[in-house]
Amino acid sequence: MDVSSKIRAARLWLAGPEAWSGRRIAGEIVLAVVLALLAAGTQELMGSTGLVQFGTALAVAVLSLLRRRLPASVLVVSGGAAGVLAGFGPLLMVSGWSAGRRIPGAGRALAAFTASYVLTIAIGVSSEWPQFSPLSLILFSTLYFLATTVVPGLASRYWTQRRTLLHALQEHNAQLLRERAMVAGQARLRERQRIAQDMHDSLGHQLALISVHTGALEVDPALTDRQREGVGVLRNASVAAMHELREVVGILRDGVERDDAATAQGPPPVDDPHPAARGAAGIEGLVAAARAAGNSVELRCTGVRRPLAAAADHAAYRIAQEALTNAYKHAPGAAITVELRYEPDSLVVEIANGPAPADPGDVVSGGQGLTGLRERARLVGGMVHAGRTDGGGFRVAGVLPYGADGLPPATVAASFAAPLVDAQDDFRQQSPSVPLGDGGPVMDWTVVQRELMMSGRRGSRASGVALGCGIAVAAMVLLAVAGGFGLFFLAGSADRGMIEPSEYEAVKVGTSETEVRDSLPDGDSFMTSGLEDSGPAKPEGSDCLVLASSEAGDSLTAEPVFRFCFRDGKLIEKKSYDVVQ
């Protein structure tokens, strides 16, 4: 295995189940360097040697890179090291945040944080005792661990669990939407199949009888030529109606498995003299028929011809047919313009006629033609507009989308990228990894943007933030309470182990021990822990009281100390010196 393969294997091992992008790698390196510099700077402030500073910085950098792969181990090691080396403090905070979200199971997370806490307390107390009181060390270490490790860990774990729950709910909601769409689609297809079957069985039978009887009547020798011509027109009309019925039934059954009876009928014959196509291509035939009937009709076609979906293609033909029929009835003799415009995303079918040259009189109309056209266009995703023109004529225009079969690939991709948000979606946003049916991907928002959007729509953005930080706030309240007790304890303890330099100067050698002790604190404080055995040798047979000075020393490692030594009930010596920590 070459060096590059080893580096790649090590990087994959460090990343774990998550893939590291270039930005993630750069971020991890920068964070490791920052933590290493903070560790070295902290150890320098504590007076450590250069070798200790370098070793601490190197260990912090390595552990920072390992915290994603080994969150529990890094947390425990950081906690133990922080008890003796202050430079591990920043790493302890980062490892607490990382461990809170990456350790699976509440039990394992609790065990890891407990082990880290125990090591921090045990190593910290053992390294500082007997200079400081064990009780005060435990109190300070507990507050420090809660603030730097537990609070970030709880906040991180809560945030991660909230994101996971939100994602799961969105996936479940998307699944329900897909199932609902499938059920509705199946119900719609079954209803279409039932309608098609009813039309085929009822209308098809009646039209077939008309065609047979008119065909037999057409060859009857008793008919005159004029009567035979009229019967031929009826027979041709019935045959054309049968083919249109076959086309409508085919559109209704599109995508539906046909039953055995429909399959047994087989496909229409290839040499059918009356093709069933009634789409945009058939509009030219309508115009030609209108011209043959003596009407003035002009056909215009612009743009590049593109195929439409079957239902939309049929709707284009029906719009032109109904509009021409209305023009014949309501404006006989008026000039008619039929225009087909192939736009980039849809086909526009526009039929306009001028004002009627004469009063058409009473026109019999069902009043449902335009309503039916609007509904037909709506079902295929289009629209129909009808109304009077400025010149007194009438205009009918339909806009019909091409569908996936007629759009170029780039346009299809752009249309599929449109956001699909269900009107009844309680989450306001679908999961970005869950496609809904065949509609393509949903809105690609990040989790943070989605949660802010959800809280904003409820009109309570502040409540959403408070909810997200609830655990952290509760922990901070506990810290504040504990800190208050700690400060109260420290204040009382400091008063019992510290005096002003002026008080030291006021005490005179030879004064009775009772008078001196009554005027000074008793020295029972963490401030004086470990100070009694430091400094110059005590007078032989004396009992000494050691107190700390309220003023700071000349350096961070030197602590001013006042010592009062008693023998035979009198103060025989008082000394002021510095204790190096």
Side-chain angles (χ1 to χ4, degrees), residues 428-430 432 442-451 453-454 457:
R428 273 66 170 185
Q429 171 59 44
Q430 313 307 318
V442 297
M443 298 176 71
D444 188 13
W445 285 2
T446 62
V447 175
V448 176
Q449 289 173 327
R450 180 169 56 247
E451 291 174 350
M453 191 61 160
M454 292 173 60
R457 290 190 178 183

Side-chain angles (χ1 to χ4, degrees), residues 40-412:
T42 304
Q43 290 302 131
E44 183 179 5
L45 291 177
M46 299 303 295
S48 301
T49 62
L51 182 61
V52 173
Q53 297 174 20
F54 176 77
T56 302
L58 180 61
V60 167
V62 173
L63 290 175
S64 174
L65 295 175
L66 291 174
R67 79 185 194 283
R68 292 179 178 270
R69 181 64 178 177
L70 303 171
S73 301
V74 171
L75 176 64
V76 174
V77 172
S78 301
V84 66
L85 295 173
F88 279 84
L91 175 64
L92 185 61
M93 182 182 300
V94 176
S95 62
W97 173 272
S98 183
R101 63 183 302 184
R102 298 185 182 277
I103 297 180
R108 295 181 59 183
L110 179 62
F113 277 86
T114 302
S116 179
Y117 169 73
V118 170
L119 283 178
T120 301
I121 297 300
I123 295 178
V125 171
S126 62
S127 62
E128 297 295 336
W129 188 81
Q131 296 182 6
F132 295 97
S133 170
L135 181 61
S136 61
L137 288 174
I138 292 175
L139 175 62
F140 280 115
S141 298
T142 300
L143 293 176
Y144 177 78
F145 190 83
L146 285 175
T148 61
T149 310
V150 175
V151 171
L154 289 176
S156 173
R157 195 169 189 86
Y158 165 77
W159 187 257
T160 302
Q161 290 179 349
R162 187 174 186 270
R163 291 178 58 185
T164 303
L165 177 60
L166 180 62
H167 186 71
L169 290 175
Q170 289 167 343
E171 287 186 345
H172 179 66
N173 185 61
Q175 179 67 24
L176 292 178
L177 291 178
R178 285 195 300 268
E179 293 177 358
R180 187 181 69 181
M182 291 173 60
V183 170
Q186 291 295 328
R188 183 168 56 252
L189 291 177
R190 285 195 299 268
E191 183 64 18
R192 290 172 60 176
Q193 185 181 27
R194 184 191 65 79
I195 295 174
Q197 189 66 42
D198 290 343
M199 293 176 62
H200 179 273
D201 294 343
S202 59
L203 295 179
H205 176 69
Q206 300 298 332
L207 291 174
L209 288 178
I210 294 174
S211 179
V212 170
H213 285 292
T214 54
L217 186 60
E218 188 178 8
V219 298
D220 189 347
L223 294 179
T224 65
D225 292 340
R226 183 176 180 81
Q227 290 172 337
R228 190 175 287 108
E229 182 181 355
V231 173
V233 172
L234 292 177
R235 191 179 75 85
N236 291 334
S238 65
V239 172
M242 288 183 63
H243 285 289
E244 291 199 14
L245 175 63
R246 178 187 300 172
E247 179 190 2
V248 173
V249 170
I251 292 176
L252 288 175
R253 284 178 169 172
D254 185 22
V256 182
E257 296 183 0
R258 303 188 180 187
D259 53 19
D260 295 338
T263 305
Q265 296 174 3
V270 178
D271 57 349
D272 191 347
H274 298 279
R278 290 294 185 270
I283 296 178
E284 295 181 3
L286 291 175
V287 173
R291 289 171 179 170
N295 296 283
S296 176
V297 182
E298 180 185 0
L299 176 62
R300 301 172 186 170
C301 185
T302 59
V304 180
R305 290 181 179 268
R306 294 175 183 171
L308 282 79
D313 200 31
H314 187 71
Y317 179 85
R318 290 305 185 196
I319 290 173
Q321 185 183 50
E322 180 66 23
L324 286 173
T325 302
N326 288 341
Y328 303 154
K329 292 190 299 183
H330 298 281
I336 304 174
T337 301
V338 178
E339 185 175 2
L340 301 179
R341 296 199 303 270
Y342 288 90
E343 301 289 347
D345 56 352
S346 60
L347 170 64
V348 179
V349 182
E350 183 175 343
I351 300 90
N353 61 268
D359 186 6
D362 294 334
V363 178
V364 179
S365 176
Q368 299 298 320
L370 293 178
T371 302
L373 291 183
R374 292 189 179 95
E375 180 64 19
R376 186 188 296 272
R378 187 189 66 81
L379 292 176
V380 298
M383 59 181 295
V384 170
H385 170 76
R388 294 283 180 182
T389 62
D390 295 338
F394 198 81
R395 173 179 172 269
V396 177
V399 181
L400 304 172
Y402 294 120
D405 296 335
L407 286 175
T411 307
V412 174

